[in-house]
């Protein structure tokens, strides 16, 4: 059996992300009674700070659950079985949210797309325009498709709703965008924002939340989907505790610290850092593949077409994600075997292809607590693993990243 690689693991997954030492230290303290005044002060500070990150003055509900919990809370509180919603397809995570909505009894219409390019906003607008009786009660969109490294422009989706005069609620999953690049819940007219702790907020997995507009709160009064743990009425009745069940005290200790870190750096500077690191990653990938552009498409059945060289998965330049980059390998090379080599030999943890992209792509997360040396170390090790696995690549990707950063 191979010995475990030594040294610190370079953790380059697109979530969970590196937990900063400051957050770990903040969590290394004794538990407090979650109803005590001392803890309630922390709770309130976290609540207010999270609303600043979401850029909302409206309502926020939190859950001791991973992102799936907030997904379910968003759907169960505002829709009733039989309600029609419009899902904007983006990839594995929009598909998973679609399955969940179906299980809750919703009728899901999908605006489908090539996963490498994302939905056409014109197509979204024409679907809304065609719905003259306003049967569609909600439009669901994943801001950043973590599985493919593609972000969807939320203001354009809002504009499609406004220009067609459609009253549907707008639900946005910000699980891998919040704290990484700009999101403005109130200014962009988002009704339900779904977020989670383990990505841009740099925390352990286990807490998720929903920002809810006044229109969302009003809809929840009429929704009949069965719910208890997620029920906003139930939660509202427990003010100021706001949690059903035991509050995850240590996650709040961590959240208080991570919010401080985000605000000390400044959200705009946080976003600029993510952009810088994302640009450097993309420069390396483009260089490795000699700027290959196969024109291949992808979707629920996998990648259609031949990819002869390393290529960025996201083929829509304006939608390239600042928090994760998905990389296609030339056909005939197994991305999962490559990731195993990176992990087992060099202690570099990368994200894998999800669903139909399994084995065809790998993902470099560049979100959360990350700086230039961490990213350059990871990119250099990706090159090393390419060489070790016999994957053809053009040398000099790390230099391209340095040129981008310098
Ligand atoms: N939505 C997106 C965009 C995600 O990236 C994830 C997880 O990575 C989820 C939803 C599901 O969240 P969780 O795994 O925390 O339940």
């Amino acid at each position: 059996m191979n010995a475990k690689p030594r040294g610190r693991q370079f953790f380059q997954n697109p979530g969970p992300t590196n937990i900063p030492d400051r957050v770990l230290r903040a969590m290394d303290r004794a538990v407090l009674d979650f109803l005590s005044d001392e803890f309630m002060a922390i709770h309130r500070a976290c609540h207010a700070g999270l609303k600043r990150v979401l850029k909302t003055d409206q309502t926020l509900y939190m859950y001791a659950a991973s992102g799936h919990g907030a997904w379910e809370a968003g759907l169960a509180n505002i829709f009733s079985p039989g309600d029609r919603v419009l899902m904007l397809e983006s990839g594995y995570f929009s598909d998973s949210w679609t399955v969940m909505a179906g299980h809750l009894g919703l009728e899901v219409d999908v605006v489908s797309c090539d996963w490498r390019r994302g939905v056409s906003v014109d197509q979204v607008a024409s679907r809304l325009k065609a719905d003259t009786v306003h049967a569609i009660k909600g439009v669901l969109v994943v801001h950043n498709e973590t599985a493919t490294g593609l972000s969807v422009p939320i203001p354009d989706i809002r504009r499609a709703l406004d220009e067609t005069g459609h009253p549907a609620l707008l639900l946005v999953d910000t699980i891998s965008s919040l704290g990484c690049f700009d999101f403005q819940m109130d200014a962009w007219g988002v009704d339900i924002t779904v977020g989670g702790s383990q990505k841009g907020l740099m925390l352990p997995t286990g807490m998720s939340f929903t920002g809810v507009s006044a229109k969302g709160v009003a809809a929840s009064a009429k929704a009949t989907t069965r719910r208890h743990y997620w029920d906003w009425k139930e939660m509202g009745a427990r003010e100021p505790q706001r949690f059903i069940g035991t509050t995850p005290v240590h996650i709040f200790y961590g959240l208080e610290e991570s919010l401080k870190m985000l605000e000390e750096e400044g959200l705009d500077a946080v976003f600029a850092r993510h952009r810088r690191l994302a640009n450097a990653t993309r420069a390396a990938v483009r260089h490795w593949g000699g700027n290959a552009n196969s024109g291949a498409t992808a979707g629920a059945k996998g990648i259609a077409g031949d990819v002869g060289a390393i290529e960025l998965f996201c083929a829509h330049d304006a939608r390239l994600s600042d928090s994760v980059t998905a990389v296609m390998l030339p056909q005939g090379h197994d991305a999962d075997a490559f990731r195993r080599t990176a992990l087992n030999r060099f202690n570099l943890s990368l994200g894998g292809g999800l669903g139909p992209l399994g084995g065809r792509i790998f993902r470099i997360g560049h979100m959360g607590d990350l700086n230039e040396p961490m990213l350059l170390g990871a990119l250099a090790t990706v090159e090393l693993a390419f060489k070790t696995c016999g994957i053809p690549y053009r040398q000099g990707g790390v230099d391209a990243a340095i040129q981008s950063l310098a």
Side-chain angles (χ1 to χ4, degrees):
M1 216 172 81
N2 285 341
K4 197 175 179 318
R6 303 307 299 249
R8 191 158 190 152
Q9 183 171 91
F10 271 57
F11 193 78
Q12 219 67 38
N13 263 276
T17 60
N18 294 293
I19 303 176
D21 290 345
R22 265 179 72 175
V23 169
L24 291 171
R25 297 293 84 82
M27 295 175 74
D28 182 10
R29 62 179 279 198
V31 72
L32 281 172
D33 178 341
F34 62 86
L35 296 176
S36 65
D37 289 346
E38 189 178 353
F39 182 73
M40 281 316 300
I42 295 171
H43 192 139
R44 282 196 200 93
C46 287
H47 202 88
L50 203 44
K51 283 171 66 163
R52 289 194 294 276
V53 175
L54 286 163
K55 299 188 178 166
T56 184
D57 291 326
Q58 304 185 74
T59 308
L60 178 70
Y61 295 109
M62 294 167 163
Y63 322 94
S66 77
H68 276 76
W71 259 357
E72 185 158 339
L75 299 177
N77 275 287
I78 58 172
F79 298 123
S80 304
D83 275 356
R84 187 165 292 281
V85 296
L86 190 66
M87 174 68 77
L88 311 195
E89 185 188 17
S90 50
Y92 178 83
F93 287 105
S94 68
D95 276 7
S96 305
W97 206 9
T98 298
V99 169
M100 177 186 278
H103 287 164
L104 292 174
L106 308 186
E107 299 290 329
V108 189
D109 290 345
V110 177
V111 181
S112 54
C113 71
D114 166 7
W115 285 8
R116 297 192 64 197
R117 291 159 183 89
V119 288
S120 137
V121 176
D122 286 348
Q123 231 180 320
V124 175
S126 60
R127 291 287 277 274
L128 292 170
K129 201 166 164 196
D131 179 34
T132 50
V133 296
H134 296 163
I136 296 168
K137 301 296 177 212
V139 172
L140 280 56
V141 51
V142 177
H143 189 197
N144 185 70
E145 177 53 74
T146 324
T148 63
L150 177 139
S151 68
V152 178
I154 303 303
D156 290 357
I157 307 301
R158 177 74 260 167
R159 207 168 304 120
L161 280 157
D162 291 346
E163 287 178 1
T164 53
H166 202 292
L169 293 156
L170 177 58
L171 285 79
V172 181
D173 168 341
T174 66
I175 285 176
S176 60
S177 58
L178 196 70
C180 303
F181 53 92
D182 198 22
F183 175 75
Q184 304 181 28
M185 175 164 165
D186 290 356
W188 295 353
V190 175
D191 294 297
I192 311 293
T193 305
V194 172
S197 55
Q198 77 273 24
K199 303 200 195 244
L201 294 178
M202 308 174 288
L203 295 167
T205 311
M207 191 174 68
S208 56
F209 45 88
T210 45
V212 185
S213 71
K215 195 170 152 191
V217 172
S220 75
K222 298 189 195 120
T224 61
T225 301
R226 292 167 75 119
R227 56 199 189 265
H228 177 81
Y229 180 69
W230 314 119
D231 189 11
W232 296 340
K233 264 200 300 292
E234 187 82 21
M235 296 177 90
R238 291 170 192 230
E239 287 284 345
Q241 180 197 350
R242 293 199 189 91
F243 246 91
I244 294 187
T246 306
T247 307
V249 168
H250 281 77
I251 296 226
F252 276 83
Y253 293 159
L255 177 58
E256 189 181 35
E257 193 64 23
S258 78
L259 290 168
K260 264 189 216 153
M261 289 176 70
L262 289 174
E263 292 191 329
E264 281 168 13
E265 185 176 355
L267 276 183
D268 289 343
V270 170
F271 301 155
R273 176 168 54 80
H274 280 78
R275 170 66 52 89
R276 228 170 32 245
L277 298 175
N279 279 335
T281 308
R282 300 192 272 258
V285 177
R286 287 190 173 114
H287 185 94
W288 288 328
N291 290 310
N293 184 0
S294 63
T297 58
K301 291 195 174 64
I303 298 167
D306 221 4
V307 181
I310 289 168
E311 206 171 307
L312 286 170
F313 182 85
C314 175
H316 189 320
D317 283 354
R319 294 185 176 182
L320 284 160
S321 160
D322 282 347
S323 54
V324 52
T325 295
V327 184
M328 290 197 285
L329 288 187
Q331 209 157 37
H333 292 276
D334 179 355
D336 288 338
F338 160 77
R339 283 194 315 119
R340 277 195 298 277
T341 298
L343 181 64
N344 297 337
R345 288 198 53 183
F346 307 122
N347 218 359
L348 168 68
S349 178
L350 297 161
L354 297 174
L357 302 181
R360 293 302 309 281
I361 68 165
F362 71 92
R363 293 173 300 145
I364 304 172
H366 33 78
M367 64 177 109
D369 191 43
L370 198 69
N371 60 21
E372 285 81 353
M374 292 158 88
L375 182 73
L376 289 171
L379 294 176
T381 310
V382 167
E383 279 202 32
L384 175 60
F386 283 155
K387 205 176 188 70
T388 309
C389 294
I391 293 167
Y393 72 101
R394 184 160 64 135
Q395 287 182 21
V398 176
D399 282 341
I402 290 171
Q403 290 303 324
S404 164
L405 290 168

